Every structure is written in C-alpha cells, then in structure tokens.
Amino acid sequence: MTNSVGGFEQLAPEAKVNDGKLHTFIIKDLSLPLIIKIIPSLIKGEIKGHEEVEYIQTSKLHLSTSEELAINIDGDEGCPLPFQANVLHKHLRLFVPRTI
C-alpha cells in the first residue's frame, strides 16, 4: 500500500510500498452522521486518531462477520466477506531497463 487511498493523500504517511504491511482502516460505524463527522480528519490526514476508526498494520488479515458485507479496497467495492489477505513481502522482483 502507499499513503494514498481513494484519492485521499496522507492517510498513512508512514506506509511504504515495500514495508511488508497492510495498512488497514476499520470505520466502526459507517453511518451518514459519522461520515460527516470524520470528513475533516480524513482531509487533514488525521483519520488514524479518530475515535471511531481503528488502524491496523499487519502482514495477514482475515475479516468475517455475521452480516452480509463487502470489503472496500482503495475506494472500490470488493468481494463479500469473509476475506483473507496475506502480504508476500519481497515476493515480486521488478527489473526496470535503464534509459540511454
């Protein structure tokens, strides 16, 4: 992950593409009043400190619920729960050709 999610910059400024972690934000109550309440924190990049938001850094993530919910990845709706993700740290090597 990078520090930009869904067009919002600086949600997790310490996040690096190669840090081996998923930087995950869980909004505890996704009601309209709460969304309106957290928008200023979101814009200022202070969402991690909000009382209704849980911030997790992990290399493995498993999400499940008794409700029918779908995950949201980078602002886009994803698959329905349950969901599992594992970081394959340093698993992909890229070679970039030099330009002359």
Side-chain angles (χ1 to χ4, degrees), residues 23-89:
H23 296 260
T24 306
F25 295 90
I26 299 172
I27 301 173
K28 298 174 184 176
D29 173 23
L30 199 56
S31 64
L32 184 58
L34 177 66
I35 292 170
I36 292 169
K37 184 178 173 183
I38 67 172
I39 284 176
S41 299
L42 185 64
I43 292 169
K44 292 188 280 184
E46 299 171 353
I47 191 84
K48 288 190 302 187
H50 198 281
E51 61 197 28
E52 293 293 329
V53 176
E54 189 170 342
Y55 174 60
I56 300 169
Q57 297 176 56
T58 184
S59 60
K60 294 182 181 182
L61 183 67
H62 179 85
L63 301 172
S64 63
T65 182
S66 58
E67 299 178 44
E68 290 186 28
L69 297 174
I71 61 169
N72 182 301
I73 299 175
D74 196 24
D76 297 319
E77 185 172 333
C79 63
L81 295 178
F83 172 78
Q84 185 166 333
N86 298 308
V87 174
L88 302 174
H89 191 224

